[in-house]
Amino acid sequence: MRRTGDEESADLCGDLLAQGFWARDKGTAFDICLTDTDSPSYVKTDPEKILARQEREKSNKYHMACYNRRRHFNPIVFSANDLAGKEAIC
């Protein structure tokens, strides 16, 4: 059986859901990622660009599904070297 777009987006929920984080009446979904920016596949890329790209990818994946469920979404991306993506810094 093939899933519809609505069924697929219902499965997208992130790693953590917090009620009332940004707004009293809304939940916020968080998707958390830890990346080794020193891995060979990232050797020629600026670590901040790696984190920004991962935040964008997570937002593209989860934002609309959360919006449809009336939730906020925040990607939380860190490097193994103590760098944080912009969305992780409140």
Side-chain angles (χ1 to χ4, degrees), residues 1-78:
M1 185 166 113
R2 187 179 171 125
R3 302 176 97 187
T4 66
D6 290 341
E7 290 171 337
E8 289 175 359
S9 68
D11 290 341
L12 298 175
C13 60
D15 294 324
L16 177 70
L17 178 65
Q19 188 65 33
F21 189 82
W22 291 116
R24 182 179 255 186
D25 60 338
K26 282 191 176 183
T28 301
F30 296 92
D31 192 75
I32 303 161
C33 178
L34 179 64
T35 301
D36 180 8
T37 55
D38 292 331
S39 74
S41 60
Y42 294 134
V43 76
K44 294 182 179 181
T45 309
D46 179 50
E48 290 179 3
K49 288 185 179 184
I50 295 167
L51 299 180
R53 183 179 68 224
Q54 289 180 341
E55 285 178 333
R56 246 186 342 272
E57 289 172 357
K58 290 188 172 296
S59 289
N60 290 341
K61 182 177 181 180
Y62 293 108
H63 177 78
M64 190 52 67
C66 289
Y67 177 81
N68 290 338
R69 295 171 133 184
R70 295 188 169 109
R71 295 179 179 163
H72 295 281
F73 175 73
N74 276 88
I76 306 294
V77 179
F78 292 98

